[in-house]
Amino acid sequence: MRYAEVSVNSPAAQRRTFSYAIPDGLDVREGQAVLVPFGERVLQGIVLELTPVPAVEDTREILDVIGSEPVLTPSRVSLARWISDYYLSPLFDAVALMLPPGFERKAISFVSLTHPDADTSSLNDDQRKVVDIASGQGRVELKQLEKALGKKKASTVVSQLVRQGILTRSYELGPVRVKPKTELYIRLTDDNLNTSKLSIKQSALVDFLKERTVPVPWAEARQKTGCGKSVADALANKGLIAFYEQEVKREPISYIDIQTSQPLELTADQQSALDSIKSGLEKPGGAPDVFLLHGVTGSGKTEVYLQALAVAVKLGKRGIVLVPEIALTPQTIKRFAARFPHRVAVLHSRLSLGEQYDEWRRVSSGDCDVVIGSRSAIFAAQPDLGLIIIDEEHEWTYKQDNSPHYHARSVALKLAELTGALVVLGSATPDIESYYKAQRGEYQLLELPQRVVPSAGAPMPQVEVVDMREELKAGNRNIFSRSLSQAINEAIAARDQVILFLNRRGGATFIQCRRCGFVLRCKRCEAPLSHHIADDVLTCHQCGYKAPVTDVCPNCNSRQLKFLGIGTQKLEQEARYTFPRARQMRWDSDVTTGKSSHEAILRKFRNKEAEILIGTQMVAKGHDIPSVTLVGVVSADTSLNLPDFRSGERTFQLLSQVAGRAGRGPSGGRVIVQTFSPEHYAIQAAAGHDYASFYEQEIAYRREFHNPPFTRLARLTFMHTNDAICQREAERVKKMLVEEGDTRGIAGIDIIGPAPAYIHRLRGRYRWQLILRGSGLSAFLSPVAFPRGWAIDIDPMALVQ
Ligand code: ADP
Ligand code: ZN
Ligand code: ZN
C-alpha cells in the first residue's frame, strides 16, 4: 500500500496535511488533485507528498483523482508549504493560490442500490425508507435523503446500509464555475437556396451568408445586414439556416494596433546591466543571482527587462514579470506584447474568471514566453521558469492584506531558490531592505543613474520646497502657496499641463464643532467622517458608511459644525475658484470604479481635454504624460505624520514618484512641494533626487531604533465587538507568549503592547494588537494555538492599520 499526504480544502485542516491510502489501480502523483473523504463529507485535496508509511495508523482511501495530470509541480508544492509555514496561513489557502482559476468546487455525494433486488427483509423502518427512495431512481443525492430523514439520521442510516453492502456511495464534483467560452454562429443549411420566395430582409441575410467562406458569428451577421433576430428565426424555422455554438478563446490582449517592436540600441549603463543579468542566466548551476536594478523613472529599466527576457527565451527559458496593479495599463502590456507577439499572457484581478481560466491554460501548456501581471501572477504555472522580474519592487501592493499575508517579492525569492530562476528587482526608490541587501552583497546592484533622453535635454525636474509656515506668516491662508499659484498660472498661459497631487480623497476630511470640539465619526469605526462634495454625503473612508450632511452638532446641538481639512474634491473646488480659466479633471478611487476608467481619464488628459489633473497617488504611478511641465504636491505632510517607522520611506517614495511625472517631455519640468516640515530628511532628499542620502539617514534610524532590516516584525491583531474583552484577550495572549518563550528557551523576541490598533474600531469591531520583534518569528508562533478572532501578519508593511 502506498500513502499520500493531502492538503484538504476545509477550514478545519488548518496548516496540516492528512494521510490517505492510495487504492490499487489509482495513479496518484505529487501535485495531483484528488477527492478524499473528510469527516462526513467528500472534499477536494491536493497531494503534497507520497510516502511508504502513513503519519497516522488509521487511514481512509483516496476516492478518485481529479484530472489525470498533476495541477502543481514539485517546486510549487514546496512553495505552498513554505507560504503556509512562513506566513502561518492555512495550507490549502496557500495551495489555492496556485490552482487553476475556478478550480475549487464542492463535491456532491450520491448513493445507489448495489443490487436492484436486494434482500430488505431484515431492515428497520428508516433503513427501508432509504432503500425505497433509492430504488425509485438510479441514484439519489445524499442531500435528498437528508431532507427526508434529517441530516444526522440520514448519515447514520446510509453508513449502516453501505456497511451491509446494500448501498454504494459515489461522488461527483459540483457544477464547473468556468467553461470555455462559446459564441453563437450562423450558417446556411443549403448553399443553393432559392431566395425568390423570401422577404427582402430574409434574402439579404441569405445573400450575406452565401458570400462568406469562413464561419460567421451571428453578432456580425446582424450588424452587417441590419436583420434582427426575428428575421433569422423565421429562416431557421423553415430549416434554411441553422444556429450553432462554437468555442472562442478569450484573449485579453488585442493585437489589432500592436506593431512588433525591435530591441533598442542600449546606452552604456543599460548594456552593462544587461550583461550582468545575461551572465547570471548563462551561469551553469549554483545559487541563482538576485539583481537590484536601481534607476530613476525614464532611465530605461523596462528596455533592460525586455532584452533580459529575450536572452532567457533564447536559452529556452520563460519569464514572469510583476508590476503594481495600477501600472498594468494597456500601455504597459502593449510594450511587452509588441516585443513578444502572441507569446504574452496577462493576469490581473480585473480579468473575468473566464479570461483568467483561458490565460492559465495557455500559460501552463507552455504557450507563453512572458507572463505579466500583478501580485498573484507570481503563482502562474509558467514552465521552465528562468527569470522573475519585479518592477517597482518597493510598492506596498505586493503585500497581500488578507490571508495568506504573503509578499510577492519574498515569494519570488523563494520560488527562484526552488526553480533556479534569476530575480531582477527594479525601482527608482528601492525598498530600504532591498538596498541594504544590495549594500551587503546579497544582491547585485545595477545602477541606471540617468534618464534616457530621446530628445536632447530632459534632466530630472527641478524641485522647490515651499515652507507653508512662511505662507501663513505672510498672511496667505490659501491652500496654494504664492509660488505654486504663480507657477500654475504660468503653465496655463504657456498651454502646458499641470498635475496637483494630494494623498487624501473627498472634500472636507473631518467635521468639527467649533463650540464643543466634537468631531463627527463613523458609527462602526470611529474614524472621522469626511464630506463628499459631488453626492453631498458624509462618508467613512474605512468602511464606506454613509450619513446625511447635517449642520447641527450631535453633541451640543449648536449650529457651529465646521468642515475642515482638505481632500481631492475640496482641492478641485478651490482650484476651480482660483484658476477659473483652467479646465480640471480629478483622478482618485471615487471616480475610477469602472473597468477601464483609469485609461479613460489618462486618455482624456493626454488629449488635452483639461489643463489641471488633480489626484491621489494614482497620478503618481507609472504614467507617461509628456506635456506635464508642473507638478504641485499640495501637502507632503499627509504621509509624513503617520505614527509608523516607515512613514519617512513612504513619503520619500511618493514624492519621488510624483516628481517623476514632471518633465517627461522635451520641455523639462518643475515640481513644487508644499509642507509644514521642509527640513525633514525625506522631503529634502526627494527634492534633491538623492536616494543615497535618504538611504544613509533612513538606515541609521532603522539601526538606532532596531527596526527592519535589523530585525523582523509580526503584527498580531485581535478583533471583538466588546472593547474590554478584546483588551483582556490581548493581555492573555501576551502573557501566554512570554511563557511560551520561557518554556521553549527562546530569547531575543520583544513583545510590544497590547495596544489599541491605530484604527481602533473597524466595521463595528474593536481591534487590539501585539507587535513582535525579533528573528525566527514564524517558528516561534507556529506551535501556538490562537483562538478565533486573531489575525497574524508576518512582515507587516504598516503598523498603523
Ligand atoms: P523606465 O522603465 O526606467 O521608466 P523606460 O524603459 O520606460 O524607463 O524608458 C523610458 C523611455 O526611454 C521610453 O520611451 C523608452 O522607449 C526609451 N528608451 C529606453 N531605452 C532606450 C534606448 N536605449 N535608446 C532610446 N530610447 C530608449
Ligand atoms: Zn458641539
Ligand atoms: Zn467606518
Side-chain angles (χ1 to χ4, degrees):
M1 201 74 164
R2 291 185 315 145
Y3 299 88
E5 288 297 316
V6 178
S7 168
V8 180
N9 184 6
S10 160
Q14 284 300 320
R15 298 210 301 277
R16 51 172 299 211
T17 55
F18 292 81
S19 303
Y20 287 91
I22 302 173
D24 291 337
L26 200 62
D27 183 22
V28 173
R29 285 178 281 165
E30 186 184 340
Q32 196 136 28
V34 290
L35 281 180
V36 291
F38 193 77
E40 288 294 308
R41 296 185 302 154
V42 173
L43 299 176
Q44 284 179 312
I46 305 292
V47 174
L48 297 193
E49 199 183 346
L50 297 173
T51 55
V53 268
V56 290
E57 238 170 75
D58 262 345
T59 56
R60 297 164 83 177
E61 286 194 349
I62 288 177
L63 299 170
D64 209 349
V65 293
I66 307 171
S68 56
E69 293 298 313
V71 286
L72 297 188
T73 59
S75 52
R76 265 65 172 201
V77 167
S78 308
L79 188 66
R81 279 202 190 265
W82 176 81
I83 289 172
S84 171
D85 288 346
Y86 186 76
Y87 293 105
L88 304 171
S89 73
L91 188 51
F92 196 86
D93 288 359
V95 167
L97 295 167
M98 293 165 231
L99 296 177
F103 176 84
E104 284 175 63
R105 284 152 70 190
K106 281 212 177 81
I108 302 172
S109 303
F110 295 91
V111 290
S112 52
L113 282 187
T114 316
H115 300 291
D117 40 345
D119 175 15
T120 56
S121 53
S122 61
L123 300 183
N124 65 30
D125 286 354
D126 284 332
Q127 292 171 333
R128 189 161 300 119
K129 194 167 174 190
V130 167
V131 169
D132 284 346
I133 298 175
S135 60
Q137 322 169 16
R139 58 174 195 177
V140 274
E141 209 180 316
L142 189 61
K143 241 200 206 134
Q144 194 185 333
L145 297 175
E146 286 173 352
K147 263 189 209 139
L149 283 89
K151 204 166 177 172
K152 199 142 184 211
K153 196 181 274 173
S155 111
T156 335
V157 173
V158 166
S159 296
Q160 291 163 352
L161 291 170
V162 168
R163 234 176 297 133
Q164 293 174 35
I166 293 173
L167 287 185
T168 307
R169 292 182 196 264
S170 60
Y171 309 94
E172 200 176 89
L173 281 178
V176 267
R177 289 166 56 212
V178 248
K179 292 190 192 116
K181 183 181 172 184
T182 59
E183 238 174 63
L184 190 60
Y185 278 67
I186 180 171
R187 66 178 164 83
L188 283 179
T189 49
D190 176 6
D191 281 342
N192 304 314
L193 187 66
N194 185 346
T195 53
S196 57
K197 287 199 184 127
L198 300 177
S199 72
I200 295 174
K201 283 213 156 175
Q202 287 174 343
S203 51
L205 182 57
V206 169
D207 287 341
F208 174 77
L209 293 175
K210 270 185 180 170
E211 280 163 24
R212 297 294 299 254
T213 50
V214 290
V216 186
W218 160 240
E220 187 190 335
R222 187 188 51 206
Q223 198 200 0
K224 295 250 169 82
T225 60
C227 292
K229 190 78 192 318
S230 58
V231 178
D233 281 343
L235 286 167
N237 286 339
K238 292 182 197 161
L240 303 176
I241 63 163
F243 286 108
Y244 63 104
E245 295 279 337
Q246 184 164 307
E247 181 176 347
V248 290
K249 265 253 169 358
R250 290 158 278 218
E251 198 179 29
I253 302 177
S254 157
Y255 282 91
I256 292 168
D257 53 4
I258 294 182
Q259 282 176 3
T260 308
S261 77
Q262 297 304 320
L264 300 172
E265 196 178 317
L266 297 182
T267 63
D269 289 333
Q270 284 175 315
Q271 188 63 52
S272 86
L274 180 67
D275 287 345
S276 303
I277 297 170
K278 191 162 177 245
S279 58
L281 282 167
E282 286 165 347
K283 192 174 71 176
D289 297 321
V290 179
F291 294 94
L292 178 60
L293 182 60
H294 176 210
V296 295
T297 36
S299 62
K301 295 187 293 298
T302 309
E303 185 61 32
V304 173
Y305 303 153
L306 289 167
Q307 299 202 18
L309 287 163
V311 172
V313 171
K314 221 181 225 164
L315 294 168
K317 299 178 186 174
R318 302 164 200 279
I320 294 178
V321 180
L322 302 187
V323 301
E325 176 90 38
I326 182 131
L328 203 57
T329 58
Q331 241 185 324
T332 313
I333 296 166
K334 228 185 229 178
R335 277 184 82 178
F336 286 83
R339 199 63 65 82
F340 303 94
H342 299 285
R343 304 288 297 167
V344 175
V346 184
L347 297 172
H348 60 78
S349 62
R350 286 164 317 201
L351 297 183
S352 67
L353 190 61
E355 286 172 323
Q356 288 177 33
Y357 175 75
D358 284 2
E359 288 294 82
W360 194 93
R361 287 200 303 175
R362 282 179 63 217
V363 172
S364 62
S365 57
D367 281 352
C368 303
D369 293 325
V370 178
V371 172
I372 179 167
S374 47
R375 184 172 68 214
S376 61
I378 193 62
F379 300 113
Q382 179 74 303
D384 311 312
L385 187 61
L387 181 58
I388 303 171
I389 293 167
I390 306 186
D391 191 30
E392 311 282 358
E393 63 92 31
H394 64 276
E395 275 292 332
W396 289 20
T397 54
Y398 285 126
K399 173 93 175 173
Q400 169 138 306
D401 50 17
N402 41 19
S403 171
H405 290 275
Y406 70 88
H407 195 299
R409 185 181 51 220
S410 308
V411 173
L413 292 169
K414 188 69 197 174
L415 181 61
E417 195 185 301
L418 291 165
T419 56
L422 192 145
V423 179
V424 176
L425 307 173
S427 176
T429 52
D431 189 280
I432 288 292
E433 229 165 309
S434 299
Y435 202 76
Y436 178 71
K437 287 188 176 158
Q439 292 293 309
R440 287 168 38 110
E442 279 177 61
Y443 300 165
Q444 289 188 45
L445 187 61
L446 307 172
E447 301 259 15
L448 300 179
Q450 259 134 35
R451 281 187 169 180
V452 187
V453 271
S455 51
M460 294 303 286
Q462 172 209 336
V463 180
E464 179 191 335
V465 177
V466 175
D467 185 346
M468 293 306 277
R469 293 169 303 192
E470 293 299 321
E471 293 296 307
L472 283 181
K473 270 189 214 156
N476 177 17
R477 307 193 68 82
N478 201 302
I479 54 171
F480 300 106
S481 61
R482 291 159 295 174
S483 281
L484 185 55
S485 6
Q486 193 189 339
I488 293 174
N489 280 323
E490 284 168 12
I492 295 167
R495 302 188 173 280
D496 287 333
Q497 287 181 296
V498 178
I499 288 179
L500 294 179
F501 169 78
L502 180 64
N503 203 13
R504 246 182 344 210
R505 294 184 283 132
T509 51
F510 65 107
I511 294 127
Q512 191 172 33
C513 173
R514 261 197 288 191
R515 181 147 168 261
C516 73
F518 184 83
V519 172
L520 294 188
R521 288 177 188 275
C522 172
K523 285 204 174 71
R524 296 185 284 183
C525 308
E526 290 181 359
L529 291 174
S530 56
H531 179 226
H532 274 217
I533 293 171
D535 34 8
D536 198 27
V537 287
L538 303 180
T539 170
C540 167
H541 280 177
Q542 266 155 40
C543 74
Y545 168 81
K546 285 186 168 54
V549 170
T550 168
D551 59 352
V552 180
C553 171
N555 191 45
C556 73
N557 286 326
S558 81
R559 290 187 175 269
Q560 300 199 38
L561 283 181
K562 193 165 160 75
F563 286 48
L564 300 163
I566 171 160
T568 41
Q569 292 184 2
K570 176 85 173 159
L571 175 61
E572 188 183 17
Q573 242 180 17
E574 294 282 326
R576 272 187 214 292
Y577 177 76
T578 316
F579 310 104
R581 283 177 30 231
R583 290 166 302 166
Q584 330 226 349
M585 284 173 55
R586 186 159 54 81
W587 189 5
D588 55 32
S589 57
D590 291 326
V591 291
T592 54
T593 37
K595 196 172 171 180
S596 63
S597 60
H598 285 298
E599 265 308 293
I601 292 173
L602 256 180
R603 196 174 46 239
K604 277 189 184 169
F605 192 60
R606 275 207 203 94
N607 290 343
K608 299 216 168 184
E609 288 178 33
E611 283 73 41
I612 299 180
L613 177 64
I614 290 170
T616 53
Q617 66 227 50
M618 286 181 186
V619 304
K621 300 204 167 137
H623 308 290
D624 232 334
I625 309 167
S627 53
V628 171
T629 55
L630 174 66
V631 171
V633 176
V634 176
S635 169
D637 304 336
T638 43
S639 58
L640 201 57
N641 294 331
L642 286 176
D644 191 299
F645 75 93
R646 284 200 180 91
S647 62
E649 180 174 22
R650 185 90 178 122
T651 304
F652 177 79
Q653 288 166 350
L654 266 176
L655 291 182
S656 304
Q657 260 173 0
V658 178
R661 295 307 112 211
R664 302 287 299 239
S667 40
R670 191 174 163 198
V671 179
I672 294 175
V673 176
Q674 303 191 147
T675 173
F676 284 93
S677 320
E679 67 292 338
H680 194 284
Y681 68 97
I683 290 177
Q684 286 296 325
H689 306 291
D690 190 352
Y691 181 82
S693 81
F694 168 72
Y695 173 78
E696 288 308 327
Q697 185 62 72
E698 183 67 26
I699 202 79
Y701 282 137
R702 299 286 180 94
R703 191 178 276 121
E704 185 180 343
F705 296 103
H706 201 52
N707 276 320
F710 301 99
T711 187
R712 295 208 172 234
L713 300 175
R715 190 183 65 214
L716 280 52
T717 312
F718 185 71
M719 286 179 274
H720 198 278
T721 46
N722 180 308
D723 197 23
I725 292 177
C726 198
Q727 176 174 4
R728 240 177 294 143
E729 168 64 10
E731 278 159 4
R732 184 190 73 80
V733 164
K734 172 167 185 175
K735 213 165 135 233
M736 175 180 81
L737 290 177
V738 171
E739 282 164 13
E740 178 84 17
D742 289 347
T743 30
R744 283 162 58 200
I746 295 173
I749 291 180
D750 294 336
I751 304 172
I752 303 154
Y758 180 69
I759 299 170
H760 183 191
R761 193 165 165 228
L762 185 64
R763 295 186 185 90
R765 292 199 293 169
Y766 288 92
R767 296 149 31 105
W768 280 71
Q769 69 182 25
L770 294 169
I771 303 290
L772 268 60
R773 191 152 66 171
S775 59
L777 296 177
S778 305
F780 172 62
L781 293 171
S782 180
V784 180
F786 286 94
R788 270 176 64 106
W790 279 98
I792 299 177
D793 187 359
I794 301 286
D795 300 337
M797 288 313 286
L799 300 180
V800 292
Q801 270 184 357

